[in-house]
Amino acid sequence: MQMEDYHKSSAQYLIGTVSKRSGVKSDLVRAWERRYQAVTPTRTAGGHRVYSDQDIARLKLLNQATSHGHSISQIAQFSLDELKRLLQQEDTQNYSPVSLTGDKRFLAEDYIEKCYAAVLAFDAKTLESHFENAIVELQSQAFIEDLLTPLLTRIGERWKTGELRPIHEHMTSSVIRSLTYILRNNNPCPDHAPRMIVSTPIGQLHELGALLAAIIAELNGWQVTYLGANLPAEEIAAAVKYTHSKAVTISISFSTDDHVIPKEIRRLRKLIGNDVALIVGGRAAACYEAVLDEVGVLKIESYEHFRRILEQLVAGS
Amino acid sequence: MQMEDYHKSSAQYLIGTVSKRSGVKSDLVRAWERRYQAVTPTRTAGGHRVYSDQDIARLKLLNQATSHGHSISQIAQFSLDELKRLLQQEDTQNYSPVSLTGDKRFLAEDYIEKCYAAVLAFDAKTLESHFENAIVELQSQAFIEDLLTPLLTRIGERWKTGELRPIHEHMTSSVIRSLTYILRNNNPCPDHAPRMIVSTPIGQLHELGALLAAIIAELNGWQVTYLGANLPAEEIAAAVKYTHSKAVTISISFSTDDHVIPKEIRRLRKLIGNDVALIVGGRAAACYEAVLDEVGVLKIESYEHFRRILEQLVAGS
DNA sequence: AATACCTATACAATAGTTTGACAAAAATAT
DNA sequence: ATATTTTTGTCAAACTATTGTATAGGTATT
């Protein structure tokens, strides 16, 4: 999985580079290894030591710690976290930092608050940096489920009450769209992944739901083409044809009293044929129950439910 | 299938070309192949090595990575993605490699063709990978100027003639939006960068122009908040207030005969006041000359001109 | 025929390895 | 307080690995 790739690609530096980066002389690096196993590099076929980024970080911290008066023999075997804590305690003689042991649910809630605050303050940079940290801390899975889904739901609600303006949503989707890149690279999709088109029908300008669906599908092994909001049925159908997609997901966030949406859905079904799965999600999807049932649509009821739908589609082909 | 033909048809360079483009001497390219299988070119009937674009990008990255202290034997077999990640992490610590003299203009034209072909084939994955390689090969600056600008212009034209459909544009902007992330990380913006809002006025659904403006501004040291397309003046103005922006850039791609645009522009100027610069670009901007002059708008005439505007705004504050 | 590319081998410059020694500093015992 | 250990950083010698480059003789392409 990702973890393994990550480790594989992190064994890479020879001792000279490590020395420059960490500030610990080569001889000393070797001595610390010999005497206390402070680091345990792998070796090349020829016997040269090969270090990872973690090792460099470790040596940096050890170096700092020793110059703060700690004896190398005592701290050589500390973990990265322990070393960080050590130095933090010393730098800021204040109280101890956050407990890292807390379960992810709590962590995610914390992030939701921070992210929502950034949205409210219209601070894209901070929002992006919170997201980046959250992806690392929570792993993609929990990031989507425990942070992104509830956050976007909340944004949808607050938008209705007038606490948030359209631009808050625009800004948020802009940030999330650029994050897609990281998420995709964390989970490179297989070569013969099933394809999917994600969009929003004409008249529906809110794209957060669609964006979320696209991300979830990508993380579950689909190759997604995300088209953004507000597209007529013909266009969506054309994209399906071009990409030979097996499924289309559209998101409906607001109900309108005209008949545009039902018409579009019927048209879309006719254009893509019955072999392509049509999936509909979004807060207002329930308002069109009748049409959806009529044309054979899979309705998304929850995050879990969407995942099950995706799995079944892969299995049943 | 088309996909595969398409990929295969791009394997075509001999070692001399590869050497010039990647900056790795021919002898060394061969040595890296012999010793570590860093690249695995195909061969002509006569035994000459034949390389693909991917190989060139790969060698370029390997070259950069080695000058960053990685040992070639350790990284030679890394995938393109792993190498990119490697260098991205390091770009955070800043380090600018020497740019080669090779004529980028020609290279960029080559990329334009490839990218356009991918757009036409509606192949998002390939398009993204071309963009990624191009950013590495051309450096951000030339990527924008010699590849992205002409490519988007061409897409705009072909859209008019009906060769391309709306979804082609949607797909392209989707890909470019997620690339924003790389570009931003290549050029981290300073802490006290001037801020700018970029959007498209109500009724204008084409966002490629705005997207381009946002990217250019970011590369020139602005902190940009990109809001996407189709926003009323009130919203744009609110975003300006929230972010304390010094400038607003809006893009107008199509002229409509109603009076929506002129009204929106007048309203926008009134709402943001005279202290905030109002910049307008886009193919159809010229159609509204009268209003633009009336309310004091900076019109973008070319890539170069836009950059000058940006510089003057920074200087004159 | 000229140029560019091929293989194979060689070679020098770095940069890394081990083993062991040594003195300054710090800790401990007297 | 003084003497004795222990810890710790540094260095040197002899040797090996890595890596970029060079040379020689031949082949492919234009």
Side-chain angles (χ1 to χ4, degrees), chain A residues 294-309:
Chain A
E294 176 197 324
V295 302
V297 157
L298 300 164
K299 285 161 285 181
I300 302 176
E301 276 144 29
S302 65
Y303 171 80
E304 250 316 312
H305 181 232
F306 186 38
R307 283 191 52 192
R308 252 177 296 140
I309 292 177

Side-chain angles (χ1 to χ4, degrees), chain B residues 42-100:
Chain B
T42 54
R43 301 283 187 135
T44 66
H48 286 192
R49 288 170 177 79
V50 178
Y51 298 84
S52 67
D53 287 293
Q54 287 231 332
D55 291 326
I56 295 180
R58 203 185 158 62
L59 287 166
K60 194 147 187 165
L61 289 170
L62 285 173
N63 194 28
Q64 278 180 43
T66 52
S67 58
H68 278 223
H70 294 278
S71 127
I72 182 63
S73 61
Q74 295 306 306
I75 59 169
Q77 306 221 353
F78 279 19
S79 71
L80 259 187
D81 282 336
E82 285 171 319
L83 288 171
K84 277 176 204 155
R85 227 184 307 156
L86 210 64
L87 291 166
Q88 226 171 34
Q89 282 169 11
E90 248 134 63
D91 275 351
T92 316
Q93 302 166 19
N94 245 346
Y95 198 93
S96 79
V98 215
S99 93
L100 284 178

Side-chain angles (χ1 to χ4, degrees), chain A residues 26 53 82 84 95 106 197 201-202 206 265 271 299:
Chain A
S26 307
D53 285 299
E82 286 171 317
K84 274 181 205 157
Y95 53 91
F106 175 72
I197 298 290
I202 205 161
H206 295 268
I265 290 183
L271 288 163
K299 285 161 285 181

Side-chain angles (χ1 to χ4, degrees), chain A residues 215-227:
Chain A
I215 293 174
I216 294 173
E218 285 205 350
L219 288 186
N220 282 78
W222 288 66
Q223 186 179 326
V224 175
T225 305
Y226 180 75
L227 294 180

Side-chain angles (χ1 to χ4, degrees), chain B residues 75-250:
Chain B
I75 59 169
Q77 306 221 353
F78 279 19
S79 71
L80 259 187
D81 282 336
E82 285 171 319
L83 288 171
K84 277 176 204 155
R85 227 184 307 156
L86 210 64
L87 291 166
Q88 226 171 34
Q89 282 169 11
E90 248 134 63
D91 275 351
T92 316
Q93 302 166 19
N94 245 346
Y95 198 93
S96 79
V98 215
S99 93
L100 284 178
T101 49
D103 64 321
K104 288 185 176 171
R105 207 61 56 79
F106 173 74
L107 227 183
E109 275 170 27
D110 202 40
Y111 268 118
I112 292 176
E113 292 310 321
K114 282 185 206 147
C115 290
Y116 186 74
V119 171
L120 200 59
F122 204 76
D123 184 345
K125 218 175 163 182
T126 305
L127 180 60
E128 182 170 289
S129 118
H130 283 323
F131 277 149
E132 285 177 352
N133 291 344
I135 290 173
V136 174
E137 273 205 81
L138 299 173
Q139 312 284 61
S140 312
Q141 186 76 307
F143 171 74
I144 302 296
E145 189 165 359
D146 300 330
L147 169 53
L148 213 47
T149 307
L151 178 67
L152 299 194
T153 306
R154 188 198 273 191
I155 290 176
E157 283 162 7
R158 302 295 167 91
W159 189 84
K160 262 184 168 167
T161 71
E163 184 178 325
L164 296 178
R165 314 182 57 132
I167 38 169
H168 288 109
E169 197 198 321
H170 278 242
M171 184 272 279
T172 308
S173 40
S174 193
V175 171
I176 296 177
R177 279 183 91 152
S178 76
L179 279 184
T180 305
Y181 189 78
I182 311 179
L183 290 168
R184 194 175 1 222
N185 277 25
N186 279 356
N187 277 50
C189 84
D191 252 5
H192 298 290
R195 293 168 184 236
M196 175 186 288
I197 297 291
V198 176
S199 185
T200 280
I202 205 160
Q204 288 286 320
L205 300 173
H206 296 269
E207 60 176 330
L208 283 183
L211 209 39
L212 187 57
I215 293 174
I216 294 173
E218 285 204 350
L219 289 186
N220 282 76
W222 288 66
Q223 185 178 327
V224 175
T225 305
Y226 179 75
L227 294 179
N230 191 34
L231 278 176
E234 285 79 15
E235 294 300 316
I236 298 176
V240 173
K241 287 265 156 61
Y242 281 134
T243 57
H244 309 287
S245 289
K246 280 172 91 165
V248 182
T249 301
I250 61 179

